[in-house]
Amino acid sequence: MNQSELIHELLAILGPERVLYKEYELIAYECDGYVAERGRPRAVVFPETTEEVAQIVRLLHGAKIPFLPRGAGTGLSGGATAMNREVVISLVRMNHLLHVDFENMRAVVQPGYINLQLTKQIAQKNFYYAPDPSSQSACTIGGNLAENAGGSHCLKYGVTTNHIVAAKVVLPTGDVVELGAAFGEAVGYDLLGLLIGSEGTLGIATEITVRILKKPQAVKTILAMFDRVADASDTVTAIIGAGIIPAAMEMMDQLAMQAVDKSNYHVGYPSDIEAVLLIEVDGLTAGVIAQSEQIVAICEQHHVRTVQVAASDAERALWWSSRKMAFGAMGRISPDYLVQDGVIPRTKLTEVLQRIHEISEASGLRIANVFHAGDGNLHPLICYDASVPGEMERAMRAGSEILKVCVDVGGSITGEHGVGIEKIEEMKYLFSEAELCAQIAIRTVFNPEDLCNSGKLIPKPGRCAEIKKIPATIERHEKIFSSFGEQTQALLVKGER
Amino acid sequence: MNQSELIHELLAILGPERVLYKEYELIAYECDGYVAERGRPRAVVFPETTEEVAQIVRLLHGAKIPFLPRGAGTGLSGGATAMNREVVISLVRMNHLLHVDFENMRAVVQPGYINLQLTKQIAQKNFYYAPDPSSQSACTIGGNLAENAGGSHCLKYGVTTNHIVAAKVVLPTGDVVELGAAFGEAVGYDLLGLLIGSEGTLGIATEITVRILKKPQAVKTILAMFDRVADASDTVTAIIGAGIIPAAMEMMDQLAMQAVDKSNYHVGYPSDIEAVLLIEVDGLTAGVIAQSEQIVAICEQHHVRTVQVAASDAERALWWSSRKMAFGAMGRISPDYLVQDGVIPRTKLTEVLQRIHEISEASGLRIANVFHAGDGNLHPLICYDASVPGEMERAMRAGSEILKVCVDVGGSITGEHGVGIEKIEEMKYLFSEAELCAQIAIRTVFNPEDLCNSGKLIPKPGRCAEIKKIPATIERHEKIFSSFGEQTQALLVKGER
């Protein structure tokens, strides 16, 4: 099927208002929040129903044309970038709240429904949706599902996979299945769990059932400034060690504070403090007061310079804005920056921050640190200037080195931003070849032609073939591949010949 | 490989002390906690290391001899019963605590380590392991992984899948992989999530990394007795509606109370009350006191007859024993009983209990109800007398009818006991043929020969072939099957011809 035939077919399904295909219309869809790589899609389509998504996918599957789903395009790892001239299936018009069951604490949304919109919509009944990525005012719940999004309050409440309980899904072949269970645990293999965090490679969720929670009776927010990063890190460990799981426990370092203080969210951080902790506890009033007092005492035991509890909702909102807008605020101190995302054991915070400092010195690039300290989820922000030749590459190299440090101390290469195209290379730090091939075998079950978001999340099959070039390991690997069935072997052969 | 060759090979790997193969030695391994079906294994082996498990599995895989893993044998759905003359791989000798990292709140155990033992071992540092199935003093963490075990306190803390973060796994081919991440979320597809709850069909975990939690500062336990079941049900909904998530919220009905009051855990339940609620809140002292007062007030608003807060640890322990031993206590009022396990939306409690009452009347069998009310996880206990011909079959039929009721109100066929062999038939209430075939395709990736615990959890491939007998649906189904790749089609053909 050539391009004009394809456009003709797409127009027949969706009409002229919901198909973009002129080159100038497609420019806006060349990347998502990860700007280091770009790819122009073949077309962008805007279905409004499950049936329309299924019709489009069946058409593309039949014609062997690659495609990928896209939410708000706020992803930071390139998961929605069309590297293979895909047809982009934008879900922004599937933006309705379909059903709310307050008594059983469930809501059903379409994938293009915006995260924060859900909380706003159910707030009058005193409910909210817990996962709160920094982009929550723009990102969609479908995108959150694809990326298994986290957020500041996931320390206590868990990431997206803990909050999505069921989904209607269009598979990469166009067939429609329902996964998960609105009530109780999944029965059989947890296929919904596979879908969540699969970065659009296993299917397109078109109806999503989420848990909604009752708002806590009381919230206390604490801001603690430390002369030394090590003291702030020790405070994090001590608070958790005291048996407190705060709703959120965020840290920013000196450079990050400088940036936000230059933005519209001026908190007034003293320029000589090394770290600030933003800690929040929620629950019943009585418990929350006791907990916040205990946290203040722990800060004081760890040489805090100043510690205060938010005196008003406005103060709390300002503190949170300064944290949530920290990424954007980097623009105030650097022409460009790269957001990294790694995970480490909480107790390694001080050591890893020191290593990041060394990487910063060696690369000659400033690195700010903003992170979910309670989860050990780091977000180093690597400052660079794209107009200086080679500087972006140096920034990317520094980012990759930081991820290697995370893995070396027992952590992982992404906490919540996903692998996408950005971290395909880093996957090999984390997984053995056998493990990567198992991942490919799983993808092949749902996405047999690899037409749906190809090249994302899991390195391409070629990698499986590559390792066979080492003769000594051939026999062992053959055995391992055979354990994942004939399909993987077929891939292997294809990749090799 | 004939039986004597097999035994010779097994003895060569493990020595004479760790292989059982004489018929009289095998009788004890004919079933697990689900006694309605029995099957004598070919042999029972007791490996002590990952390498020994891998060696045994490689031997059996190579010889195409079926096998299955077994923990303490406390499972209630027949997951460890050798229906195909399997070699049973008992993990009870892999019963060590390998490592504890208190600061990062992780422990690494072997699969045969007993659930309660972990809590006991780390209690001196004020830590515990949260999932607490009623069988926790006997069941193993490996078995908990296989069944995604729940427990009374999973209302607040979540089931096993929320507490296991990584595992070393021997695949059904004998290859060894590591799944999950000790820190942070799984990267790539969540293969560990697939393994958890896979009932021994995808592999054998030989090292398991779990979260451990700090013990809460305070616990309050409340016992509330109601004249009417409907009031108890409404109380459950009202407590959750007030934004309280108790650590546990358990209900027992009249017949269950009669049974426990005849046992060694005599609480003294008045014979004319219809329902008792056992509610526990935990956390900081201040919060817990406020919460327990609020719960007492809610009980009073819902016509509770008596409500009391445990005055001592001894009283709390007695109340909990009466709940945790309720299954066993059924022996005091009935020669035999069948434990069922279903899930419903919490708001359907009253309606479903009424339907269970009707099923009891129609079948002429008494049915007691003991359940995790907060989760909507029912455990109807169906009394019967195996010596009366046909009565066990009637009990099983009544159990199946109850599960159908659960599905009809939007719930599920198992909350925590698993599918095993017991609920293979009920899977079709819950899943479409396409969804079952997707499950088979996933199994085939890891367990290509279906040698590892065959016939459990997912109905056999024959079912996929069967549905093709309906001519009108052939084309549609063929399309659906093709979406799961060639392997499933191969299974389909095999099942058919």
Side-chain angles (χ1 to χ4, degrees), chain A residues 58 101 103-105 148 159 161-162 171 173 175-179 181-191 193-194 196-198 201-202 214-215 217 237 240-245 284 286-287 290-291 294 343-348 375 409-415 419 427 430-432 434-435 438-448 457-458 476 479-480 482-487, chain B residues 58 101 103-105 148 159 161-162 171 173 175-179 181-191 193-194 196-198 201-202 214-215 217 237 240-245 284 286-287 290-291 294 343-348 375 409-415 419 427 430-432 434-435 438-448 457-458 476 479-480 482-487:
Chain A
R58 280 196 296 263
D101 175 352
E103 274 199 312
N104 287 304
M105 304 170 87
N148 191 16
V159 297
T161 197
N162 299 109
L171 296 177
T173 48
D175 297 302
V176 181
V177 292
E178 310 220 12
L179 304 179
F183 303 99
E185 295 298 309
V187 177
Y189 303 127
D190 185 7
L191 302 188
L194 267 190
I196 296 172
S198 67
T201 64
L202 299 186
K214 204 74 198 266
K215 276 191 199 165
Q217 195 183 75
T237 303
I240 302 278
I244 301 171
I245 305 286
L284 287 178
Q291 261 182 339
Q294 204 182 344
V343 176
I344 57 169
R346 213 163 26 224
T347 50
K348 303 282 185 182
D375 299 304
V409 299
S412 172
I413 60 168
T414 171
V419 173
M427 288 293 275
L430 207 57
F431 291 110
S432 70
E435 287 156 355
Q439 301 262 352
I440 290 169
I442 290 290
R443 184 184 62 203
T444 305
V445 168
F446 293 94
N447 186 5
L457 183 61
I458 312 292
R476 183 177 160 269
K479 229 160 61 190
I480 291 169
S482 74
S483 72
F484 301 119
E486 285 166 26
Q487 288 190 341
Chain B
R58 280 196 295 265
D101 176 352
E103 274 199 313
N104 287 304
M105 305 170 85
N148 191 18
V159 298
T161 196
N162 300 109
L171 296 177
T173 48
D175 297 303
V176 180
V177 292
E178 310 220 11
L179 304 180
F183 302 99
E185 295 297 310
V187 178
Y189 304 126
D190 184 8
L191 302 187
L194 267 190
I196 297 171
S198 67
T201 64
L202 299 186
K214 206 71 198 270
K215 277 190 199 167
Q217 196 183 73
T237 302
I240 302 279
I244 302 172
I245 304 286
L284 287 178
Q291 260 182 340
Q294 204 182 343
V343 176
I344 57 169
R346 214 161 27 223
T347 50
K348 304 282 186 183
D375 298 304
V409 299
S412 172
I413 60 169
T414 171
V419 172
M427 287 293 274
L430 207 56
F431 291 111
S432 70
E435 287 156 356
Q439 302 261 352
I440 290 169
I442 290 290
R443 182 184 63 204
T444 305
V445 168
F446 293 94
N447 186 6
L457 183 59
I458 312 291
R476 181 176 161 267
K479 230 159 60 189
I480 292 168
S482 73
S483 73
F484 302 117
E486 285 164 26
Q487 287 190 343

